[in-house]
Amino acid sequence: MPRDYTLHTPPRPTAPRIEYRAELNEQQHAAVTAPPGQTLVIAGAGSGKTHTLTYRVAWLLDNGVLPEQILLLTFTNKAAREMLERVGALVQADTSRLWGGTFHSIGNKLLRWNAERLGYRKGFSIMDREDQKDLLETVVANSGIDTKGIRFPKAEVLGEIFSLADNTCEPLDELLATRYPYFAELIDDITKLRGLYQEKKLETNCMDFDDLLTQPVRLLREHPDLLERYQRQFEFILVDEYQDTNRLQCEFIELLTGPDGNLMVVGDDAQSIYSWRGADVTNILNFHKHWPKARVFKIEVNYRSVPEVLSLANASIANNRAQIRKNLQAARPEKGMLPALVPLDSGSAQASFVAQRILELADEGMSYDEMAVLYRAHFHSMELQMELTSRGIPFQITSGLRFFEQAHIKDVAAFMKFALNRQDEVSFMRMVKLIPGVGGASANKLWNAWLKTEAARAEVMVGKFSDLLLPMPVPKKAREGWDQLAYTLDELIVDGKPATPPEMIRSIYEGVYQDYMRAKFKNADQREQDIEQLSNYSSRFTDPLEFLSQLSLLSGVDTGDKPAPEEQEKEAVTLTTAHQAKGLEWQAVFAIWVADGMFPHARAVEGSDQGLEEERRLFYVTVTRAKDELYLCYPVVNHQARDGDILMRPSRFISELPADLMEKWNVRGGW
Ligand code: ATP
Ligand code: MG
């Protein structure tokens, strides 16, 4: 009969005692101090789920559990770091040995030690989506499968299909039938490609993002010795945002926990917003089925938001049929200010409003760190980025690249820059390399030929670009593109005078760039929209140079103005998509483009009820980020340079709410 024996670390007499009772409510306290076993905390937004997990980690350390025995899984690596910092402050323990991070980062860590057991070699590389697409293209090309005659998924779509299959653990044929019925008859070819792709990854010692999860699961499933080792190591497993885990992540947790391990998960079914990426809310709803002995805690108090904000959130989510009903009570007193509903004349008026309010709040003493602007799609932030920049308001953007750092925006700008500054070698190179058939060497030759022309040295543009450029020797393949480029440049400077910025953008786009973009980028539609936005924005400038300097300032790239790392630490307003805002909170939250078709997204509205309910949960996530002030903004008119003015209606998530939950602001221009 083996004897159980537990090692304890000696108590730390110097550490101040944590006042668990004072800092936690009863339910939280019960969860934090719960005996070993499985525990579920299911509760609404801002009720302290993350707070509870943080204190649970502290409590475990306080009770002699070693840091390396704890595994903490969070939605972002930053969240894990912040939680551990807090724990470190609470118990003064060394949390660096604790395993905390996203599923992918923990999976990567396991693979770094053990990938050889799966046939990979040491130092495998991780492919990003771009690399993955390239590799898949090679695989398809060498597969002998004829993809020409029929509508065959492109490499990128194949990647998406494989990824969903991995994450949902669904067999390919079922997945195709439900999510991609139009590819269902290609099942044999797609299955074959999936196998070839796997082989290719192994052969090139590469893993894609999904492998960081599928491979660790395989590792644990196929190697009982490793399974036992890690089950033994991770005595306590804790998971935040459990409602957005997918089948594969759930399996990873179940394997590591073992049949009677110690597992604590927290989540909120009303905030499940990633089903499009394979998240499965039944993981949390059916938790007790897998773990019949689990203790369940519910928290019904919201500590984050003032009652005014909370009433709006409660009323909104009540419109969803598929949910566990909860009515969160506010712990905080009333603020005396209702959430603001702010219709604005246009997108730029919306940007001005947000920027001005941000400055006013800052004047009143609110830190920029405590303000955020949330939106449904990254490109909704474009005008605001420009407005904040021109007013000198610091911001950090977490939803994607800064608008002007994107390749297609810089491409278009390169034409304009060269037309205005004929010594601009960088822009010239960038521009000519877009022409099919022009590579680095011929671009160099062309530049040297250009330098010999009079126009290259003249202060003012003399003559026409085409007169100078057409005679130059270019590779045969590039001839047509080159000529087109020359004529396009002619349109930018007419009789020595530059055209207006929107005119220039239109010429570049229609003359050269549209064709290039459609051939080159997968998401050409999105990029077309971006360029349209750029053109909309440019219409407020008459001088293209002024417009271009504004662009450079915004991107901070061409001017060498990139903020130094220490500057990035300084206070800044956060700009983020609603998806990325999960789990976070700010004193003031501005939701922009809360207009029908924008939020909810048009596609979700056309689709099923489920799609719409997921959008509503996303709206719920958005509004519950606000602690004190919430602004719901939308432009009444969406001005499009191409299609003219489009009238916008407020989001149905606003119009379905009782009007007395909001205060309408009538914003007028002060000019
Ligand atoms: P979300 O659903 O958005 O992830 P959550 O349930 O994880 O929210 P937390 O972020 O943990 O909520 O907590 C929300 C806010 O309430 C935080 O500022 C936290 O410090 C505070 N808070 C949580 N519990 C308490 C408590 N018992 N007393 C005072 N403040 C609390
Ligand atoms: Mg949380």
Side-chain angles (χ1 to χ4, degrees), residues 132-162:
Q132 180 189 26
K133 194 190 91 198
D134 292 347
L135 195 68
L136 266 167
E137 270 167 5
T138 321
V139 168
V140 174
N142 297 332
S143 66
I145 295 173
D146 176 20
T147 58
K148 293 273 161 7
I150 30 170
R151 193 163 81 150
F152 203 85
K154 293 221 159 45
E156 200 183 347
V157 180
L158 281 175
E160 190 183 285
I161 295 174
F162 297 159

PDB file of all heavy atoms in Angstrom, residues 132-162:
ATOM      1  N   GLN A 132       2.045  29.932 -43.715  1.00  0.00           N
ATOM      2  CA  GLN A 132       1.188  28.758 -43.841  1.00  0.00           C
ATOM      3  C   GLN A 132       0.574  28.716 -45.235  1.00  0.00           C
ATOM      4  O   GLN A 132       0.522  27.677 -45.885  1.00  0.00           O
ATOM      5  CB  GLN A 132       0.087  28.819 -42.780  1.00  0.00           C
ATOM      6  CG  GLN A 132      -0.851  27.645 -42.846  1.00  0.00           C
ATOM      7  CD  GLN A 132      -2.064  27.813 -41.933  1.00  0.00           C
ATOM      8  OE1 GLN A 132      -2.477  28.935 -41.610  1.00  0.00           O
ATOM      9  NE2 GLN A 132      -2.629  26.710 -41.505  1.00  0.00           N
ATOM     10  N   LYS A 133       0.147  29.885 -45.686  1.00  0.00           N
ATOM     11  CA  LYS A 133      -0.467  29.967 -47.009  1.00  0.00           C
ATOM     12  C   LYS A 133       0.547  29.580 -48.086  1.00  0.00           C
ATOM     13  O   LYS A 133       0.248  28.804 -48.991  1.00  0.00           O
ATOM     14  CB  LYS A 133      -0.964  31.405 -47.246  1.00  0.00           C
ATOM     15  CG  LYS A 133      -1.895  31.509 -48.406  1.00  0.00           C
ATOM     16  CD  LYS A 133      -2.158  32.953 -48.760  1.00  0.00           C
ATOM     17  CE  LYS A 133      -1.162  33.384 -49.769  1.00  0.00           C
ATOM     18  NZ  LYS A 133      -0.966  34.772 -49.965  1.00  0.00           N
ATOM     19  N   ASP A 134       1.754  30.087 -47.949  1.00  0.00           N
ATOM     20  CA  ASP A 134       2.784  29.755 -48.937  1.00  0.00           C
ATOM     21  C   ASP A 134       3.034  28.249 -48.992  1.00  0.00           C
ATOM     22  O   ASP A 134       3.106  27.652 -50.064  1.00  0.00           O
ATOM     23  CB  ASP A 134       4.104  30.465 -48.605  1.00  0.00           C
ATOM     24  CG  ASP A 134       3.980  31.968 -48.787  1.00  0.00           C
ATOM     25  OD1 ASP A 134       2.970  32.403 -49.400  1.00  0.00           O
ATOM     26  OD2 ASP A 134       4.861  32.696 -48.318  1.00  0.00           O
ATOM     27  N   LEU A 135       3.153  27.652 -47.811  1.00  0.00           N
ATOM     28  CA  LEU A 135       3.441  26.213 -47.778  1.00  0.00           C
ATOM     29  C   LEU A 135       2.287  25.426 -48.386  1.00  0.00           C
ATOM     30  O   LEU A 135       2.487  24.472 -49.145  1.00  0.00           O
ATOM     31  CB  LEU A 135       3.697  25.770 -46.335  1.00  0.00           C
ATOM     32  CG  LEU A 135       4.350  24.394 -46.207  1.00  0.00           C
ATOM     33  CD1 LEU A 135       5.775  24.440 -46.733  1.00  0.00           C
ATOM     34  CD2 LEU A 135       4.365  23.923 -44.753  1.00  0.00           C
ATOM     35  N   LEU A 136       1.066  25.844 -48.046  1.00  0.00           N
ATOM     36  CA  LEU A 136      -0.102  25.146 -48.591  1.00  0.00           C
ATOM     37  C   LEU A 136      -0.162  25.265 -50.114  1.00  0.00           C
ATOM     38  O   LEU A 136      -0.542  24.326 -50.809  1.00  0.00           O
ATOM     39  CB  LEU A 136      -1.376  25.731 -47.974  1.00  0.00           C
ATOM     40  CG  LEU A 136      -1.886  24.996 -46.747  1.00  0.00           C
ATOM     41  CD1 LEU A 136      -2.934  25.817 -46.026  1.00  0.00           C
ATOM     42  CD2 LEU A 136      -2.465  23.646 -47.148  1.00  0.00           C
ATOM     43  N   GLU A 137       0.235  26.414 -50.612  1.00  0.00           N
ATOM     44  CA  GLU A 137       0.234  26.591 -52.067  1.00  0.00           C
ATOM     45  C   GLU A 137       1.189  25.601 -52.729  1.00  0.00           C
ATOM     46  O   GLU A 137       0.857  24.982 -53.745  1.00  0.00           O
ATOM     47  CB  GLU A 137       0.632  28.030 -52.429  1.00  0.00           C
ATOM     48  CG  GLU A 137      -0.592  28.919 -52.517  1.00  0.00           C
ATOM     49  CD  GLU A 137      -0.256  30.403 -52.565  1.00  0.00           C
ATOM     50  OE1 GLU A 137       0.944  30.752 -52.624  1.00  0.00           O
ATOM     51  OE2 GLU A 137      -1.208  31.206 -52.525  1.00  0.00           O
ATOM     52  N   THR A 138       2.351  25.435 -52.123  1.00  0.00           N
ATOM     53  CA  THR A 138       3.304  24.461 -52.660  1.00  0.00           C
ATOM     54  C   THR A 138       2.701  23.070 -52.622  1.00  0.00           C
ATOM     55  O   THR A 138       2.807  22.296 -53.581  1.00  0.00           O
ATOM     56  CB  THR A 138       4.582  24.438 -51.785  1.00  0.00           C
ATOM     57  OG1 THR A 138       4.877  25.757 -51.399  1.00  0.00           O
ATOM     58  CG2 THR A 138       5.734  23.818 -52.505  1.00  0.00           C
ATOM     59  N   VAL A 139       2.091  22.748 -51.489  1.00  0.00           N
ATOM     60  CA  VAL A 139       1.503  21.417 -51.348  1.00  0.00           C
ATOM     61  C   VAL A 139       0.444  21.179 -52.426  1.00  0.00           C
ATOM     62  O   VAL A 139       0.432  20.136 -53.078  1.00  0.00           O
ATOM     63  CB  VAL A 139       0.894  21.252 -49.935  1.00  0.00           C
ATOM     64  CG1 VAL A 139       0.036  20.009 -49.846  1.00  0.00           C
ATOM     65  CG2 VAL A 139       1.989  21.214 -48.893  1.00  0.00           C
ATOM     66  N   VAL A 140      -0.418  22.162 -52.624  1.00  0.00           N
ATOM     67  CA  VAL A 140      -1.478  21.997 -53.624  1.00  0.00           C
ATOM     68  C   VAL A 140      -0.857  21.834 -55.019  1.00  0.00           C
ATOM     69  O   VAL A 140      -1.221  20.946 -55.783  1.00  0.00           O
ATOM     70  CB  VAL A 140      -2.443  23.210 -53.610  1.00  0.00           C
ATOM     71  CG1 VAL A 140      -3.454  23.114 -54.747  1.00  0.00           C
ATOM     72  CG2 VAL A 140      -3.170  23.288 -52.274  1.00  0.00           C
ATOM     73  N   ALA A 141       0.138  22.671 -55.303  1.00  0.00           N
ATOM     74  CA  ALA A 141       0.743  22.626 -56.636  1.00  0.00           C
ATOM     75  C   ALA A 141       1.386  21.272 -56.921  1.00  0.00           C
ATOM     76  O   ALA A 141       1.348  20.781 -58.047  1.00  0.00           O
ATOM     77  CB  ALA A 141       1.781  23.743 -56.765  1.00  0.00           C
ATOM     78  N   ASN A 142       1.969  20.658 -55.886  1.00  0.00           N
ATOM     79  CA  ASN A 142       2.651  19.376 -56.102  1.00  0.00           C
ATOM     80  C   ASN A 142       1.763  18.166 -55.880  1.00  0.00           C
ATOM     81  O   ASN A 142       2.234  17.037 -55.918  1.00  0.00           O
ATOM     82  CB  ASN A 142       3.868  19.262 -55.167  1.00  0.00           C
ATOM     83  CG  ASN A 142       4.897  20.331 -55.472  1.00  0.00           C
ATOM     84  OD1 ASN A 142       4.989  20.799 -56.612  1.00  0.00           O
ATOM     85  ND2 ASN A 142       5.642  20.746 -54.458  1.00  0.00           N
ATOM     86  N   SER A 143       0.499  18.405 -55.610  1.00  0.00           N
ATOM     87  CA  SER A 143      -0.352  17.277 -55.212  1.00  0.00           C
ATOM     88  C   SER A 143      -0.886  16.506 -56.403  1.00  0.00           C
ATOM     89  O   SER A 143      -1.387  15.403 -56.247  1.00  0.00           O
ATOM     90  CB  SER A 143      -1.533  17.797 -54.391  1.00  0.00           C
ATOM     91  OG  SER A 143      -2.352  18.589 -55.237  1.00  0.00           O
ATOM     92  N   GLY A 144      -0.793  17.095 -57.566  1.00  0.00           N
ATOM     93  CA  GLY A 144      -1.358  16.426 -58.742  1.00  0.00           C
ATOM     94  C   GLY A 144      -2.869  16.581 -58.827  1.00  0.00           C
ATOM     95  O   GLY A 144      -3.513  16.044 -59.726  1.00  0.00           O
ATOM     96  N   ILE A 145      -3.451  17.323 -57.872  1.00  0.00           N
ATOM     97  CA  ILE A 145      -4.898  17.519 -57.917  1.00  0.00           C
ATOM     98  C   ILE A 145      -5.212  18.653 -58.892  1.00  0.00           C
ATOM     99  O   ILE A 145      -4.562  19.706 -58.854  1.00  0.00           O
ATOM    100  CB  ILE A 145      -5.443  17.859 -56.516  1.00  0.00           C
ATOM    101  CG1 ILE A 145      -5.231  16.655 -55.592  1.00  0.00           C
ATOM    102  CG2 ILE A 145      -6.910  18.244 -56.578  1.00  0.00           C
ATOM    103  CD1 ILE A 145      -5.566  16.927 -54.151  1.00  0.00           C
ATOM    104  N   ASP A 146      -6.190  18.428 -59.737  1.00  0.00           N
ATOM    105  CA  ASP A 146      -6.544  19.465 -60.702  1.00  0.00           C
ATOM    106  C   ASP A 146      -7.490  20.461 -60.039  1.00  0.00           C
ATOM    107  O   ASP A 146      -8.630  20.147 -59.715  1.00  0.00           O
ATOM    108  CB  ASP A 146      -7.219  18.817 -61.917  1.00  0.00           C
ATOM    109  CG  ASP A 146      -7.683  19.879 -62.901  1.00  0.00           C
ATOM    110  OD1 ASP A 146      -7.155  21.008 -62.836  1.00  0.00           O
ATOM    111  OD2 ASP A 146      -8.567  19.577 -63.727  1.00  0.00           O
ATOM    112  N   THR A 147      -7.010  21.665 -59.805  1.00  0.00           N
ATOM    113  CA  THR A 147      -7.833  22.654 -59.108  1.00  0.00           C
ATOM    114  C   THR A 147      -8.354  23.706 -60.082  1.00  0.00           C
ATOM    115  O   THR A 147      -8.946  24.690 -59.678  1.00  0.00           O
ATOM    116  CB  THR A 147      -7.010  23.368 -58.019  1.00  0.00           C
ATOM    117  OG1 THR A 147      -5.878  23.982 -58.651  1.00  0.00           O
ATOM    118  CG2 THR A 147      -6.530  22.408 -56.974  1.00  0.00           C
ATOM    119  N   LYS A 148      -8.121  23.510 -61.342  1.00  0.00           N
ATOM    120  CA  LYS A 148      -8.461  24.539 -62.321  1.00  0.00           C
ATOM    121  C   LYS A 148      -9.952  24.590 -62.666  1.00  0.00           C
ATOM    122  O   LYS A 148     -10.628  25.579 -62.449  1.00  0.00           O
ATOM    123  CB  LYS A 148      -7.654  24.336 -63.610  1.00  0.00           C
ATOM    124  CG  LYS A 148      -6.162  24.559 -63.439  1.00  0.00           C
ATOM    125  CD  LYS A 148      -5.808  26.012 -63.617  1.00  0.00           C
ATOM    126  CE  LYS A 148      -4.473  26.407 -63.034  1.00  0.00           C
ATOM    127  NZ  LYS A 148      -3.592  25.350 -62.517  1.00  0.00           N
ATOM    128  N   GLY A 149     -10.431  23.461 -63.210  1.00  0.00           N
ATOM    129  CA  GLY A 149     -11.764  23.468 -63.785  1.00  0.00           C
ATOM    130  C   GLY A 149     -12.877  23.767 -62.797  1.00  0.00           C
ATOM    131  O   GLY A 149     -13.834  24.477 -63.102  1.00  0.00           O
ATOM    132  N   ILE A 150     -12.741  23.287 -61.559  1.00  0.00           N
ATOM    133  CA  ILE A 150     -13.812  23.420 -60.583  1.00  0.00           C
ATOM    134  C   ILE A 150     -13.516  24.551 -59.608  1.00  0.00           C
ATOM    135  O   ILE A 150     -12.405  25.057 -59.554  1.00  0.00           O
ATOM    136  CB  ILE A 150     -13.953  22.123 -59.759  1.00  0.00           C
ATOM    137  CG1 ILE A 150     -12.559  21.486 -59.691  1.00  0.00           C
ATOM    138  CG2 ILE A 150     -15.023  21.240 -60.303  1.00  0.00           C
ATOM    139  CD1 ILE A 150     -12.465  20.377 -58.749  1.00  0.00           C
ATOM    140  N   ARG A 151     -14.530  24.906 -58.805  1.00  0.00           N
ATOM    141  CA  ARG A 151     -14.275  25.927 -57.794  1.00  0.00           C
ATOM    142  C   ARG A 151     -13.569  25.267 -56.613  1.00  0.00           C
ATOM    143  O   ARG A 151     -14.192  24.622 -55.770  1.00  0.00           O
ATOM    144  CB  ARG A 151     -15.584  26.548 -57.353  1.00  0.00           C
ATOM    145  CG  ARG A 151     -15.333  27.812 -56.557  1.00  0.00           C
ATOM    146  CD  ARG A 151     -16.563  28.622 -56.464  1.00  0.00           C
ATOM    147  NE  ARG A 151     -17.395  28.081 -55.398  1.00  0.00           N
ATOM    148  CZ  ARG A 151     -18.215  28.808 -54.668  1.00  0.00           C
ATOM    149  NH1 ARG A 151     -18.354  30.075 -54.900  1.00  0.00           N
ATOM    150  NH2 ARG A 151     -18.934  28.253 -53.724  1.00  0.00           N
ATOM    151  N   PHE A 152     -12.286  25.401 -56.577  1.00  0.00           N
ATOM    152  CA  PHE A 152     -11.495  24.737 -55.546  1.00  0.00           C
ATOM    153  C   PHE A 152     -11.050  25.769 -54.512  1.00  0.00           C
ATOM    154  O   PHE A 152     -10.672  26.881 -54.871  1.00  0.00           O
ATOM    155  CB  PHE A 152     -10.272  24.079 -56.186  1.00  0.00           C
ATOM    156  CG  PHE A 152      -9.734  22.953 -55.366  1.00  0.00           C
ATOM    157  CD1 PHE A 152     -10.267  21.679 -55.496  1.00  0.00           C
ATOM    158  CD2 PHE A 152      -8.717  23.172 -54.452  1.00  0.00           C
ATOM    159  CE1 PHE A 152      -9.787  20.631 -54.718  1.00  0.00           C
ATOM    160  CE2 PHE A 152      -8.242  22.133 -53.663  1.00  0.00           C
ATOM    161  CZ  PHE A 152      -8.769  20.856 -53.803  1.00  0.00           C
ATOM    162  N   PRO A 153     -11.108  25.413 -53.211  1.00  0.00           N
ATOM    163  CA  PRO A 153     -10.715  26.413 -52.203  1.00  0.00           C
ATOM    164  C   PRO A 153      -9.264  26.855 -52.374  1.00  0.00           C
ATOM    165  O   PRO A 153      -8.385  26.030 -52.593  1.00  0.00           O
ATOM    166  CB  PRO A 153     -10.920  25.687 -50.876  1.00  0.00           C
ATOM    167  CG  PRO A 153     -11.068  24.242 -51.205  1.00  0.00           C
ATOM    168  CD  PRO A 153     -11.553  24.151 -52.604  1.00  0.00           C
ATOM    169  N   LYS A 154      -9.025  28.141 -52.234  1.00  0.00           N
ATOM    170  CA  LYS A 154      -7.661  28.669 -52.307  1.00  0.00           C
ATOM    171  C   LYS A 154      -6.879  28.234 -51.060  1.00  0.00           C
ATOM    172  O   LYS A 154      -7.471  27.864 -50.049  1.00  0.00           O
ATOM    173  CB  LYS A 154      -7.724  30.200 -52.322  1.00  0.00           C
ATOM    174  CG  LYS A 154      -8.332  30.760 -53.559  1.00  0.00           C
ATOM    175  CD  LYS A 154      -7.545  31.997 -54.000  1.00  0.00           C
ATOM    176  CE  LYS A 154      -7.738  32.322 -55.450  1.00  0.00           C
ATOM    177  NZ  LYS A 154      -9.111  32.265 -55.919  1.00  0.00           N
ATOM    178  N   ALA A 155      -5.565  28.356 -51.133  1.00  0.00           N
ATOM    179  CA  ALA A 155      -4.710  27.902 -50.029  1.00  0.00           C
ATOM    180  C   ALA A 155      -5.180  28.472 -48.692  1.00  0.00           C
ATOM    181  O   ALA A 155      -5.238  27.779 -47.680  1.00  0.00           O
ATOM    182  CB  ALA A 155      -3.273  28.322 -50.296  1.00  0.00           C
ATOM    183  N   GLU A 156      -5.542  29.730 -48.724  1.00  0.00           N
ATOM    184  CA  GLU A 156      -5.929  30.374 -47.491  1.00  0.00           C
ATOM    185  C   GLU A 156      -7.202  29.778 -46.888  1.00  0.00           C
ATOM    186  O   GLU A 156      -7.321  29.600 -45.675  1.00  0.00           O
ATOM    187  CB  GLU A 156      -6.161  31.825 -47.824  1.00  0.00           C
ATOM    188  CG  GLU A 156      -6.100  32.668 -46.644  1.00  0.00           C
ATOM    189  CD  GLU A 156      -6.402  34.074 -47.023  1.00  0.00           C
ATOM    190  OE1 GLU A 156      -6.419  34.387 -48.225  1.00  0.00           O
ATOM    191  OE2 GLU A 156      -6.631  34.835 -46.097  1.00  0.00           O
ATOM    192  N   VAL A 157      -8.137  29.470 -47.782  1.00  0.00           N
ATOM    193  CA  VAL A 157      -9.390  28.877 -47.311  1.00  0.00           C
ATOM    194  C   VAL A 157      -9.128  27.456 -46.816  1.00  0.00           C
ATOM    195  O   VAL A 157      -9.689  27.025 -45.796  1.00  0.00           O
ATOM    196  CB  VAL A 157     -10.438  28.891 -48.440  1.00  0.00           C
ATOM    197  CG1 VAL A 157     -11.735  28.273 -47.976  1.00  0.00           C
ATOM    198  CG2 VAL A 157     -10.647  30.306 -48.931  1.00  0.00           C
ATOM    199  N   LEU A 158      -8.248  26.743 -47.487  1.00  0.00           N
ATOM    200  CA  LEU A 158      -7.879  25.412 -47.007  1.00  0.00           C
ATOM    201  C   LEU A 158      -7.324  25.501 -45.586  1.00  0.00           C
ATOM    202  O   LEU A 158      -7.680  24.713 -44.707  1.00  0.00           O
ATOM    203  CB  LEU A 158      -6.814  24.795 -47.915  1.00  0.00           C
ATOM    204  CG  LEU A 158      -7.291  24.188 -49.229  1.00  0.00           C
ATOM    205  CD1 LEU A 158      -6.082  23.749 -50.052  1.00  0.00           C
ATOM    206  CD2 LEU A 158      -8.229  23.012 -48.996  1.00  0.00           C
ATOM    207  N   GLY A 159      -6.471  26.490 -45.389  1.00  0.00           N
ATOM    208  CA  GLY A 159      -5.890  26.687 -44.065  1.00  0.00           C
ATOM    209  C   GLY A 159      -6.974  26.905 -43.020  1.00  0.00           C
ATOM    210  O   GLY A 159      -6.921  26.363 -41.917  1.00  0.00           O
ATOM    211  N   GLU A 160      -7.967  27.682 -43.401  1.00  0.00           N
ATOM    212  CA  GLU A 160      -9.071  27.983 -42.487  1.00  0.00           C
ATOM    213  C   GLU A 160      -9.868  26.707 -42.182  1.00  0.00           C
ATOM    214  O   GLU A 160     -10.235  26.448 -41.038  1.00  0.00           O
ATOM    215  CB  GLU A 160      -9.948  29.015 -43.182  1.00  0.00           C
ATOM    216  CG  GLU A 160     -11.012  29.656 -42.366  1.00  0.00           C
ATOM    217  CD  GLU A 160     -11.824  30.608 -43.259  1.00  0.00           C
ATOM    218  OE1 GLU A 160     -11.309  31.691 -43.571  1.00  0.00           O
ATOM    219  OE2 GLU A 160     -12.941  30.237 -43.666  1.00  0.00           O
ATOM    220  N   ILE A 161     -10.103  25.906 -43.208  1.00  0.00           N
ATOM    221  CA  ILE A 161     -10.850  24.656 -43.022  1.00  0.00           C
ATOM    222  C   ILE A 161     -10.075  23.707 -42.100  1.00  0.00           C
ATOM    223  O   ILE A 161     -10.630  23.162 -41.142  1.00  0.00           O
ATOM    224  CB  ILE A 161     -11.113  23.969 -44.384  1.00  0.00           C
ATOM    225  CG1 ILE A 161     -12.030  24.837 -45.242  1.00  0.00           C
ATOM    226  CG2 ILE A 161     -11.703  22.578 -44.186  1.00  0.00           C
ATOM    227  CD1 ILE A 161     -12.229  24.327 -46.669  1.00  0.00           C
ATOM    228  N   PHE A 162      -8.789  23.557 -42.352  1.00  0.00           N
ATOM    229  CA  PHE A 162      -7.982  22.657 -41.511  1.00  0.00           C
ATOM    230  C   PHE A 162      -7.950  23.162 -40.076  1.00  0.00           C
ATOM    231  O   PHE A 162      -8.004  22.388 -39.126  1.00  0.00           O
ATOM    232  CB  PHE A 162      -6.553  22.539 -42.059  1.00  0.00           C
ATOM    233  CG  PHE A 162      -6.477  21.928 -43.436  1.00  0.00           C
ATOM    234  CD1 PHE A 162      -5.361  22.132 -44.241  1.00  0.00           C
ATOM    235  CD2 PHE A 162      -7.523  21.142 -43.930  1.00  0.00           C
ATOM    236  CE1 PHE A 162      -5.287  21.571 -45.515  1.00  0.00           C
ATOM    237  CE2 PHE A 162      -7.461  20.580 -45.208  1.00  0.00           C
ATOM    238  CZ  PHE A 162      -6.343  20.799 -45.996  1.00  0.00           C
TER     239      PHE A 162
END
